[in-house]
Amino acid sequence: MDAYFTDKEIYKLRRFTKSISSSKNKNKCKNVTGVIDKTTKQLTLIAGDAPYCYICNLNLNKTSGKLKNRSFSVNAEFLIQLPLYLTESPVLSITQEKGLIKLGVTDHTIRSSKNHPQLPGFKSYKCTEGQETHLKYIDEYQKIEGDPISKATFEMVVFLASKYDSFDFIEFDPVNKAIFIQINGHVSQVTLDENIKLTVPLILNELAVEDIKQMLDQNTDRCIHFLQRGNDLLLQGSDISITCPLAGIEEFRKKKRMLADVIIKGKIDFYALNMEVLNCKKSYKSINSGHLYISESLISINNIGDDGDLNNEGENFTRPLTIFSIDKIEKAKEYVFRFTVKDFKDLKLKSAKEIEEMLFQVTENQVGQLLLEIFKCSKSTVPLSVLSVERDDSRLKEVLALHKDYKPSQLEQPSDTDKNQHKPQGAQGELDV
């Protein structure tokens, strides 16, 4: 007995095959398992390997009542290519005969022209037994039902997440009316606008946000059922369901609980810092570490030649950065922070061709971890880049000695006129070290 699918179900199949063949699908599989349920007259397709799985439910037509309950496995590539052979009025069939199942397309035309029309053909695949891991997953999946969340809520979540280019995790916290976002292992808190109302707490990674987009696009339901179980996320709809792994979520929660306090905050010359990073990538081959000096009147990047580095013994330099403002400095009047050159080289900074104001802050969490956070602009709430630093006041005298060796005029802060008109010369931008 053959079972046929309507245009609506063929459309769902097209979207399903597009999803499992997408480059964003991190877990492509060789086979897709199908499960026929004669009672509900439904074919369930499942692709992927747990915990990352796609499930698509296709309704069989009314004449499919004589089909037997059966599972089968079809080559994923065959299924992905199948929609290419479906005409405007497609006929996709399942044939059960002598214990075997064939999945195929009748009346398909590979190509045709006005002068030489091609005759219809038949394309089919002799299926094998259903994949055990898929059958086990479907059995477990059918016993679980998540909480219903409106599409409008998910649309708002996707909109807010789209503001960030790349992230590890993003949490929507309606209790604190905030977003917690982890980028490159660093967690920041963003206060939500008063006009934005979120009622459901959610933790997602980038892949989960893409899956939600797919659910919004393909499901006709008014709600999507959502369930978070340990490191797995389950999104359920009547047409398609997806599970997505959230590996690293517990570490994210720990970092969130240790959000840091800001001990220093200010605005400095973006150009000079960016040039120093570029110089570091090109020239500082023998230097393992450096020191950042911060006070209310001076910020500088320094290297002390006897800093335990035999390859760098006796090599000293200091580079002051133009200060636009120091808005906050707590606990001490001046600080010396040690950083590794490798981490300094990895700072992700955009290029700048002239003096440009940049927001920075130094934060300290509950366990004493210190971070230098760099922002695109004063309105930014998520750092552009983060540098791990250590407090090293034992080097304060050496750093101050380097400042004395530097020409006093070069350590003076520019006037307001200089800030607007001065453009650093190439030689100053590439200080010989």
Side-chain angles (χ1 to χ4, degrees):
M1 180 68 186
D2 286 350
Y4 298 100
F5 300 88
T6 64
D7 287 3
K8 178 183 177 182
E9 305 310 306
I10 295 296
Y11 172 78
K12 285 157 59 174
L13 177 64
R14 289 181 191 273
R15 302 310 300 263
F16 173 73
T17 56
K18 182 178 179 181
S19 297
I20 65 175
S21 62
S22 170
S23 60
K24 293 179 180 178
N25 182 354
K26 305 299 183 184
N27 196 0
K28 294 183 181 179
C29 60
K30 294 182 179 180
N31 299 305
V32 175
T33 295
V35 178
I36 299 171
D37 188 326
K38 69 176 183 180
T39 304
T40 61
K41 292 184 180 179
Q42 193 173 71
L43 169 65
T44 298
L45 297 174
I46 177 171
D49 292 319
Y52 199 94
C53 292
Y54 285 90
I55 293 179
C56 179
N57 298 314
L58 302 175
N59 295 317
L60 304 171
N61 68 345
K62 295 180 180 180
T63 62
S64 306
K66 294 183 180 180
L67 284 176
K68 297 179 180 179
N69 288 337
R70 183 70 190 273
S71 65
F72 60 88
S73 182
V74 59
N75 181 272
E77 283 301 320
F78 171 82
L79 200 64
I80 291 168
Q81 293 294 321
L82 205 54
L84 300 177
Y85 295 93
L86 300 178
T87 58
E88 292 183 2
S89 299
V91 180
L92 176 66
S93 70
I94 295 179
T95 305
Q96 287 182 324
E97 52 184 35
K98 296 181 181 180
L100 297 175
I101 290 181
K102 287 183 179 180
L103 184 67
V105 183
T106 59
D107 299 329
H108 81 267
T109 301
I110 296 178
R111 60 184 179 183
S112 62
S113 65
K114 293 180 179 180
N115 298 326
H116 301 283
Q118 298 292 312
L119 295 175
F122 180 75
K123 183 178 179 67
S124 67
Y125 186 88
K126 187 182 292 184
C127 303
T128 56
E129 295 293 327
Q131 190 171 308
E132 287 188 16
T133 54
H134 285 167
L135 297 176
K136 182 180 178 181
Y137 178 82
I138 290 179
D139 183 57
E140 181 184 2
Y141 153 82
Q142 289 174 336
K143 299 174 184 177
I144 301 171
E145 185 172 349
D147 298 322
I149 299 177
S150 70
K151 279 190 171 182
T153 297
F154 276 123
E155 286 168 353
M156 176 61 73
V157 164
V158 170
F159 169 74
L160 294 173
S162 65
K163 293 184 177 182
Y164 306 100
D165 296 334
S166 179
F167 55 85
D168 307 321
F169 287 98
I170 186 167
E171 178 178 1
F172 301 90
D173 186 343
V175 176
N176 294 300
K177 296 181 180 179
I179 291 175
F180 297 91
I181 184 165
Q182 178 177 309
I183 298 177
N184 294 328
H186 175 67
V187 179
S188 302
Q189 181 176 346
V190 180
T191 303
L192 282 171
D193 189 287
E194 291 183 359
N195 297 325
I196 296 175
K197 306 295 182 184
L198 287 177
T199 57
V200 183
L202 301 172
I203 302 178
L204 308 168
N205 56 18
E206 276 194 288
L207 194 56
V209 172
E210 290 297 323
D211 289 336
I212 289 174
K213 289 180 184 177
Q214 185 177 321
M215 294 291 292
L216 290 170
D217 184 45
Q218 296 187 35
N219 270 291
T220 56
D221 309 338
R222 301 177 72 178
C223 292
I224 295 172
H225 290 258
F226 176 94
L227 180 66
Q228 208 161 299
R229 298 193 307 162
N231 290 341
D232 297 340
L233 172 69
L234 176 62
L235 299 166
Q236 295 171 311
S238 59
D239 297 329
I240 188 170
S241 299
I242 302 172
T243 56
C244 178
L246 298 174
I249 190 172
E250 289 303 322
E251 188 65 26
F252 165 72
R253 287 187 174 123
K254 289 178 183 177
K255 289 181 178 180
K256 176 198 165 185
R257 289 194 293 268
M258 291 195 300
L259 279 174
D261 296 324
V262 177
I263 60 174
I264 304 173
K265 187 174 183 178
K267 300 179 185 72
I268 61 173
D269 175 11
F270 194 101
Y271 175 86
L273 180 61
N274 187 58
M275 288 301 296
E276 203 58 55
V277 171
L278 294 176
N279 288 343
C280 188
K281 290 178 179 178
K282 295 177 181 178
S283 307
Y284 303 166
K285 306 296 183 182
S286 63
I287 301 175
N288 293 328
S289 63
H291 284 84
L292 177 69
Y293 172 85
I294 300 178
S295 71
E296 292 181 340
S297 59
L298 178 64
I299 297 178
S300 64
I301 298 172
N302 308 272
N303 177 67
I304 304 168
D306 62 346
D307 194 19
D309 185 356
L310 297 178
N311 295 323
N312 186 36
E313 189 172 357
E315 184 176 349
N316 300 318
F317 72 87
T318 185
R319 168 100 184 225
L321 303 176
T322 299
I323 300 175
F324 291 96
S325 67
I326 295 293
D327 304 319
K328 181 178 185 179
I329 183 165
E330 295 185 351
K331 297 183 180 181
K333 293 183 178 180
E334 53 188 353
Y335 288 86
V336 175
F337 299 105
R338 184 179 182 275
F339 59 85
T340 65
V341 167
K342 180 183 180 299
D343 291 342
F344 192 70
K345 288 179 179 180
D346 292 338
L347 285 179
K348 297 177 181 178
L349 303 175
K350 66 177 184 179
S351 60
K353 296 181 179 179
E354 58 184 26
I355 287 182
E356 185 177 345
E357 188 176 299
M358 177 200 70
L359 176 69
F360 82 96
Q361 64 185 27
V362 179
T363 62
E364 183 176 16
N365 66 17
Q366 297 172 6
V367 295
Q369 183 185 22
L370 294 163
L371 296 173
L372 171 68
E373 301 175 358
I374 301 167
F375 299 81
K376 286 183 179 179
C377 63
S378 57
K379 294 182 180 180
S380 299
T381 53
V382 177
L384 174 69
S385 201
V386 178
L387 177 67
S388 179
V389 296
E390 298 176 4
R391 187 87 177 264
D392 192 4
D393 290 336
S394 65
R395 292 291 182 170
L396 178 59
K397 290 184 179 180
E398 286 96 330
V399 170
L400 294 178
L402 290 178
H403 292 169
K404 289 181 180 180
D405 292 338
Y406 207 71
K407 293 180 181 180
S409 61
Q410 292 174 297
L411 290 177
E412 292 177 357
Q413 297 302 313
S415 64
D416 292 337
T417 303
D418 292 335
K419 292 177 186 178
N420 295 327
Q421 295 181 355
H422 174 67
K423 293 185 179 180
Q425 301 299 316
Q428 187 180 5
E430 299 180 2
L431 183 65
D432 184 12
V433 297

